[in-house]
Amino acid sequence: MISLSTKVEEIPKIGTAYAKRLKKFGIKTVQDLLFYFPARYDDFSEIISIRQARQRLGEVVCVQGQITEIENTNTFKKFMSLTETTIQDNSGEIKVIWFNQPYLAKSLKEDDFVCLAGKVSLYKEGVYLNNPSYERINEIGENEELTHTGRIVPVYSETRGITSRWLRYVIKPLLYRFCEQIPESLPQEIIKKYKFLPIQEAVWQLHFPDSFEHADAAKSRFSFEELFLIQLNVLKEKIKLMLKKAPACPMDADLMKSFTDYLPFQLTDSQKKCAFAILKDLEKTVPMSRLLEGDVGSGKTVVATMAALSVIKNDHQVAFMAPTEILAKQHFKTITELLKNFDVKIGMLTGKDARIFKDGEIFEVSKKSFNGDLENGQIDFAIGTHSLIQKGIEFKDLALVILDEQHRFGVEQRDHLIKNKKLVPHLLSMTATPIPRTLALTAYGDLDLSLIDEMPANRKKVKTIIVEPSQRKEAYAFIEKEVKECKGVFVIFPKIESNASKLKEIIEKNGPINGSFIPQNYSPISLSSLAINEVKALKEEYERLSKEVFPDLRITMLYGKMKPAEKERIMLDFKKGEIDILLSTSVVEVGVDVPRATIMMIEGAERFGLSQLHQFRGRVGRSDMQSYCFLFTTDPSQLNRKRLKAMIDCDDGFKLAEKDLEIRGPGSLYGTQQWGIPDMAMQGLTNIFLVEKTRTAAKELLEKDPELKNYPVLKERLKQFQTKIHFE
Ligand code: ADP
Ligand code: MG
């Protein structure tokens, strides 16, 4: 018995070969296939007479007619086969040409009636229909049900060996057979409230819509449903956490005052407000889940350190996790300095190193003794990379986890940290990525938000300049001048993917030159962008800068694959002023603090999203000196100019993120590509009204029925959904 859960390979039309290809889309069962929705539609719904069609040169038309003749010819030295036919109706006739579909002459015969949809094009002798979609019919003008022509036709995203035509051919009969078995997943009250199409009709209308209005109605139902599932998922996690207990850490106002008194600067009002919200959260037995957002340089580290100090003085431990070793080491240095007067035992653990700060001094220790110290509570404050949550690492009494530049940490991960202990730690997550409101309400909907929306007073606005290829020399001269004044320069070189097809294209156009495949007129930048691997490209650029452009300056490279110790040494040298120019891939993106750096120069700026460019820019302007951000671009397209111009006009990370969302779509937002959010939910993410609606609906439902006991279908869909998405 075939049913919705039957594997696709068991469907005779599909078989194992096609089933394998379908797997690439995650389609395994009949139900999956029915939920594989078209990416867009072709509107072939207006059928006109052949006479009318002949007058619509350049337009796509749909006609019906009878085949008067059909034949195959080979052409272009047999590179391509042509199938030529002529069709007629009682208004006239038109020639039809198909390319490379020789089997057509076998399946379509003289006197057959067909419905065709294609572009009216010009040929030597007159007009013809160019490579039309086709479908056999019984009779001209009869009201037959059509699939590939004569209607709004679904177009799916395709892969090798799976065409839209094939998908239509397979999906339609399955819809007839199984659509009525698809169980409704949305609660009836929601369908009623928002006047949604019931699921069976929505599935049908998405594949074979009666009109574009029907397709839109079906789409909005599924956009809603997918966002609704995300909301349910996130809110359920939140409820789960609320039922757990965390150690309460009462705040000691005098301690906090003496901490801020020791600082070499005054906290901004924003920092104070955020610190207060966090310290208040820590006093509760409900585990905190708070996201601290603040632009690069807004001073999140100090705020986090205050939270840590409060927890430590309540006799608990704190873990602070950074995304990279460089950052972990930088935080270790900063935090030991900030806490030097407070008698806190601080340790640092990365992939290779373990260090301890005790009595004003730093000691290298073995990992084993580090672990021992953590376990018996000799270390109050552990700073590190993900090494801190590896197997075999145990805390005596962990009460606060701080995450830098990573947003999420699920209930399971927290559980893992505490093993069998009763209390779960509080969580403070920090990010410089501005999260648009729609995302904050969905993917981060389980986190409370605090925002540092104010920069320390001594900062000057970074001047941003788009550098045209012709202005390169001037920009280099300016950089040289700045370096003479002991200022540091970052050069960011875009991450380069191997681009074999582009390379091939150029070779084909230009032929190998001097034994190498690079055409002479290529500038060094685009030359590098063809390179097969990132490090090689970076090295070429390094050669160019150090030999040709800045022979007198001290330039050093930094890239992801370097050993952590080496990276650390380079960062330190750069900080101390022993390196003038740091040429780097995007590894410096997050967090690194080098106050003497005043120039951020970005090659191939058009390759980066605005939020990312903004992050780079935040690496400079960390002192009271005037800083600059140079955006080098080789792509003159208007769209890119427009995007880059936004960088000049705007230095608000939130606005830039919104702009990215507007120009490049939700896929441009940090992390979203890895989440596996379905397309329709992605599109929904740009719609704040929809997001708020789904959030309210999810809340109401969970309040009524937290376990979704009365909604088994929804519960099952949620379960499937959870295996697909994974927020970070
Ligand atoms: P981010 O928010 O990007 O993590 P950091 O915490 O690294 O920023 O702070 C950036 C720099 O600003 C550090 O050198 C820090 O000491 C300094 N800083 C933090 N708060 C203030 C303040 N209120 N006034 C002046 N400088 C500050
Ligand atoms: Mg930081």
Side-chain angles (χ1 to χ4, degrees):
M1 253 296 275
I2 296 180
S3 71
L4 279 172
S5 53
T6 301
K7 298 256 180 299
V8 282
E9 51 262 44
E10 288 167 37
I11 304 296
K13 275 181 185 165
I14 299 177
T16 44
Y18 277 107
K20 222 167 148 185
R21 295 174 201 162
L22 287 173
K23 242 198 194 127
K24 288 206 183 112
F25 294 122
I27 299 170
K28 291 183 197 133
T29 63
V30 171
Q31 168 142 347
D32 293 341
L33 193 55
L34 296 188
F35 278 82
Y36 185 66
F37 295 136
R40 60 179 186 87
Y41 302 94
D42 279 333
D43 186 3
F44 299 151
S45 53
E46 189 200 11
I47 300 174
I48 58 175
S49 72
I50 289 179
R51 212 175 99 102
Q52 286 170 312
R54 297 187 62 93
Q55 284 152 13
R56 298 214 189 160
L57 189 64
E59 285 178 42
V60 172
V61 300
C62 185
V63 294
Q64 298 186 333
Q66 189 171 23
I67 295 178
T68 55
E69 54 186 311
I70 184 159
E71 65 169 344
N72 276 338
T73 50
N74 283 327
T75 183
F76 303 142
K77 301 176 191 141
K78 301 204 176 158
F79 267 156
M80 190 182 274
S81 89
L82 290 187
T83 306
E84 293 185 45
T85 129
T86 302
I87 64 159
Q88 64 172 29
D89 65 4
N90 53 24
S91 75
E93 57 172 38
I94 191 166
K95 195 183 170 89
V96 182
I97 301 179
W98 283 285
F99 299 93
N100 280 336
Q101 302 186 52
Y103 50 86
L104 275 182
K106 287 206 192 81
S107 64
L108 298 177
K109 296 269 180 303
E110 243 164 71
D111 297 336
D112 279 352
F113 290 101
V114 286
C115 188
L116 303 178
K119 196 172 187 178
V120 182
S121 307
L122 202 56
Y123 194 51
K124 273 178 257 165
E125 303 106 73
V127 296
Y128 72 103
L129 269 185
N130 186 349
N131 235 15
S133 300
Y134 63 93
E135 168 159 31
R136 213 189 326 240
I137 55 177
N138 293 323
E139 189 57 76
I140 297 174
E142 280 203 358
N143 222 349
E144 291 172 46
E145 186 181 331
L146 297 165
T147 303
H148 308 289
T149 60
R151 56 165 308 123
I152 297 172
V153 175
V155 181
Y156 301 86
S157 38
E158 302 180 349
T159 175
R160 237 190 150 80
I162 301 269
T163 62
S164 283
R165 187 180 177 89
W166 184 84
L167 283 163
R168 291 190 289 267
Y169 159 79
V170 173
I171 288 175
K172 202 166 189 189
L174 290 174
L175 276 175
Y176 271 111
R177 213 164 141 194
F178 297 108
C179 200
E180 283 179 11
Q181 293 178 22
I182 299 174
E184 182 56 73
S185 40
L186 282 180
Q188 282 305 330
E189 56 269 30
I190 287 180
I191 294 186
K192 240 193 234 136
K193 182 167 174 191
Y194 297 108
K195 302 193 176 66
F196 286 136
L197 292 180
I199 194 158
Q200 295 165 5
E201 195 182 342
V203 169
W204 192 285
Q205 289 296 337
L206 260 185
H207 287 290
F208 294 101
D210 293 337
S211 67
F212 280 105
E213 287 75 40
H214 282 83
D216 284 345
K219 230 186 263 172
S220 44
R221 181 213 141 100
F222 284 109
S223 291
F224 181 96
E225 184 164 346
E226 285 176 353
L227 283 181
F228 181 62
L229 288 172
I230 294 180
Q231 298 284 11
L232 282 175
N233 186 28
V234 161
L235 292 174
K236 273 189 89 171
E237 288 278 300
K238 183 166 184 162
I239 291 173
K240 215 154 97 191
L241 196 65
M242 302 270 276
L243 297 173
K244 307 220 167 186
K245 288 234 169 335
C249 303
M251 163 176 135
D252 176 346
D254 292 335
L255 175 68
M256 289 304 130
K257 187 170 178 313
S258 69
F259 175 81
T260 47
D261 285 348
Y262 273 119
L263 289 175
F265 46 74
Q266 283 256 310
L267 289 182
T268 62
D269 285 346
S270 260
Q271 281 172 315
K272 281 184 206 160
K273 237 190 283 164
C274 291
F276 191 71
I278 295 164
L279 293 168
K280 279 287 155 201
D281 275 0
L282 293 172
E283 293 190 328
K284 298 179 193 148
T285 53
V286 183
M288 169 173 82
S289 284
R290 191 170 277 279
L291 185 61
L292 177 61
E293 276 189 88
D295 230 340
V296 279
S298 61
K300 296 183 287 291
T301 319
V302 190
V303 175
T305 307
M306 288 173 75
L309 183 61
S310 182
V311 169
I312 289 162
K313 292 301 170 188
N314 275 284
D315 287 329
H316 303 290
Q317 288 172 303
V318 177
F320 187 137
M321 272 186 280
T324 65
E325 301 216 17
I326 295 188
L327 281 172
K329 286 177 176 166
Q330 183 182 300
H331 284 317
F332 181 60
K333 211 168 154 260
T334 312
I335 289 169
T336 46
E337 182 63 30
L338 285 172
L339 292 179
K340 67 180 174 207
N341 298 317
F342 292 90
D343 185 29
V344 176
K345 280 159 273 158
I346 307 173
M348 186 204 75
L349 183 72
T350 64
K352 293 228 172 53
D353 299 298
R355 291 176 199 168
I356 303 249
F357 175 81
K358 234 180 8 203
D359 310 324
E361 266 186 273
I362 293 172
F363 303 93
E364 299 272 343
V365 297
S366 73
K367 281 200 171 176
K368 203 163 159 231
S369 93
F370 189 95
N371 291 350
D373 284 357
L374 266 188
E375 227 175 310
N376 61 30
Q378 289 294 310
I379 294 175
D380 303 316
F381 195 168
I383 297 167
T385 55
H386 265 88
S387 312
L388 283 177
I389 49 167
Q390 264 164 15
K391 264 212 187 104
I393 306 248
E394 275 196 54
F395 289 82
K396 180 170 182 232
D397 181 14
L398 182 62
L400 171 65
V401 175
I402 302 169
L403 297 176
D404 193 21
E405 294 301 342
Q406 292 152 292
H407 303 160
R408 185 163 301 276
F409 206 60
V411 179
E412 283 88 42
Q413 274 166 299
R414 282 199 213 186
D415 282 349
H416 163 81
L417 270 179
I418 48 163
K419 300 268 166 49
N420 310 316
K421 296 175 190 119
K422 276 199 231 77
L423 299 177
V424 305
H426 297 284
L427 174 71
L428 175 65
S429 197
M430 302 194 290
T431 181
T433 311
I435 298 170
R437 208 168 126 66
T438 54
L439 265 197
L441 284 174
T442 44
Y444 301 115
D446 55 335
L447 304 176
D448 297 316
L449 287 184
S450 284
L451 186 63
I452 306 185
D453 53 4
E454 174 184 16
M455 283 294 188
N458 60 348
R459 303 287 155 78
K460 279 208 179 85
K461 196 175 157 182
V462 178
K463 278 197 183 132
T464 303
I465 297 153
I466 298 176
V467 182
E468 307 285 340
S470 61
Q471 299 164 329
R472 204 168 258 278
K473 274 216 172 104
E474 276 172 73
Y476 286 152
F478 184 84
I479 287 172
E480 202 152 356
K481 192 185 108 247
E482 287 278 296
V483 170
K484 297 253 152 77
E485 292 169 20
C486 285
K487 295 170 184 171
V489 180
F490 282 109
V491 177
I492 303 285
F493 205 70
K495 193 179 172 102
I496 289 135
E497 280 119 46
S498 91
N499 204 338
S501 62
K502 180 110 186 251
L503 191 60
K504 199 165 148 251
E505 183 189 310
I506 286 174
I507 294 164
E508 276 164 7
K509 252 200 222 139
N510 300 276
I513 291 161
N514 304 334
S516 88
F517 288 131
I518 306 303
Q520 280 150 331
N521 57 358
Y522 253 72
S523 76
I525 298 311
S526 41
L527 183 153
S528 310
S529 71
L530 293 170
I532 302 301
N533 90 46
E534 187 187 0
V535 176
K536 185 165 161 251
L538 192 75
K539 282 184 180 153
E540 280 172 19
E541 179 65 3
Y542 171 75
E543 291 289 311
R544 193 180 75 86
L545 286 180
S546 56
K547 293 214 171 97
E548 293 166 29
V549 186
F550 302 118
D552 302 332
L553 305 186
R554 295 163 301 174
I555 307 178
T556 300
M557 284 188 284
L558 185 72
Y559 49 87
K561 289 206 185 80
M562 278 178 164
K563 294 220 171 69
E566 201 177 353
K567 286 192 218 169
E568 187 190 3
R569 185 181 49 77
I570 291 171
M571 283 315 296
L572 265 174
D573 288 352
F574 187 45
K575 236 173 149 154
K576 282 191 287 191
E578 283 161 17
I579 293 171
D580 301 316
I581 297 180
L582 189 67
L583 171 64
S584 155
T585 54
S586 46
V587 293
V588 295
E589 184 174 348
V590 280
V592 181
D593 196 25
V594 183
R596 64 174 279 276
T598 58
I599 295 182
M600 168 56 67
M601 168 183 150
I602 302 165
E603 287 286 1
E606 69 274 1
R607 287 166 183 251
F608 297 104
L610 294 178
S611 310
Q612 209 182 356
L613 289 174
H614 183 66
Q615 296 254 342
F616 292 142
R617 180 166 61 186
R619 302 296 113 224
V620 296
R622 293 193 154 213
S623 63
D624 50 6
M625 295 181 285
Q626 178 62 55
S627 292
Y628 302 86
C629 176
F630 292 145
L631 304 172
F632 284 62
T633 167
T634 46
D635 178 350
S637 83
Q638 276 310 311
L639 184 68
N640 272 320
R641 282 291 135 81
K642 196 175 136 205
R643 281 184 53 228
L644 293 182
K645 252 201 88 218
M647 289 291 297
I648 299 179
D649 301 338
C650 178
D651 70 344
D652 176 336
F654 275 91
K655 295 218 175 86
L656 288 170
E658 301 276 359
K659 213 154 215 150
D660 254 351
L661 192 64
E662 184 189 308
I663 302 176
R664 307 208 309 169
S668 66
L669 292 174
Y670 178 89
T672 48
Q673 269 152 353
Q674 286 86 51
W675 289 347
I677 302 185
D679 284 355
M680 270 190 251
M682 274 286 218
Q683 286 161 27
L685 278 181
T686 55
N687 181 344
I688 183 74
F689 300 109
L690 183 62
V691 164
E692 277 172 351
K693 249 195 263 180
T694 52
R695 185 163 178 84
T696 313
K699 248 190 187 153
E700 284 173 2
L701 189 69
L702 286 174
E703 271 162 19
K704 220 168 54 184
D705 184 357
E707 294 298 320
L708 300 178
K709 282 201 186 93
N710 298 314
Y711 303 90
V713 183
L714 184 64
K715 195 171 176 174
E716 181 57 33
R717 276 216 67 192
L718 188 60
K719 224 170 90 192
Q720 288 169 4
F721 197 74
Q722 281 164 344
T723 60
K724 275 189 223 147
I725 60 170
H726 29 82
F727 296 127
E728 279 153 25

